[in-house]
Every structure is written in structure tokens, then in C-alpha cells.
């Protein structure tokens, strides 16, 4: 697997996503692994834009659906 439970992730604003003004990409070891879902991206984008540092980690991985859950703190 590309990542494991407990590994850190980085949240970064994505300015090139024209279909989602509040897009936040999820980065693991320098590679984009996806985006924060839209229902949550507005709040996280606002915090990132205001300079609040947010950290996260992989909390669970569902191999059958290629779904990764993260915790943001």
C-alpha cells in the first residue's frame, strides 16, 4: 500500500480547481492522494487561507473502495 494508518498528511490549498473554489488537496510524502470532500473543504480552506496551520494523519484505509479517512487537527 502507498500509505499506512498513522502516517502524516499535508493539507494544501488548490488554486487551479475551477470547479471548486475551496478545493484542498491531501498530500502524502509529496504526492497528491486526493482532495478533501466538498462538504468539509470550505471550513478547512478558510482556516488555511487565514494562516492557521492544519495537520492530519491517515486514520483508516478501505482497500476495496480506495477510500482513505484522515483526521485533521
Amino acid at each position: 500500500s502507498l500509505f499506512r494508518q498513522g502516517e502524516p498528511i499535508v493539507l494544501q490549498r488548490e488554486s487551479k480547481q475551477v470547479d471548486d473554489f475551496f478545493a484542498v488537496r491531501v498530500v502524502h510524502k509529496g504526492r497528491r492522494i486526493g482532495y478533501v470532500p466538498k462538504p468539509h473543504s470550505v471550513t478547512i480552506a478558510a482556516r488555511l487561507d487565514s494562516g492557521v496551520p492544519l495537520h492530519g494523519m491517515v486514520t483508516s484505509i478501505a482497500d476495496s473502495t480506495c477510500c482513505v479517512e484522515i483526521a485533521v487537527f
Side-chain angles (χ1 to χ4, degrees):
S1 128
L2 296 174
F3 30 78
R4 296 187 177 142
Q5 239 176 302
E7 289 187 325
I9 54 96
V10 176
L11 300 175
Q12 299 174 337
R13 285 290 270 129
E14 175 63 77
S15 60
K16 296 178 182 177
Q17 285 284 19
V18 293
D19 61 329
D20 184 2
F21 181 76
F22 299 103
V24 176
R25 68 180 162 246
V26 179
V27 178
H28 175 263
K29 295 184 179 178
R31 295 182 64 193
R32 179 182 49 85
I33 61 170
Y35 290 90
V36 172
K38 285 185 182 184
H40 306 291
S41 65
V42 174
T43 302
I44 292 173
R47 290 186 181 184
L48 290 171
D49 290 347
S50 69
V52 175
L54 296 175
H55 307 279
M57 71 165 41
V58 175
T59 58
S60 68
I61 303 166
D63 289 330
S64 62
T65 60
C66 296
C67 180
V68 176
E69 287 188 14
I70 62 171
V72 178
F73 45 92

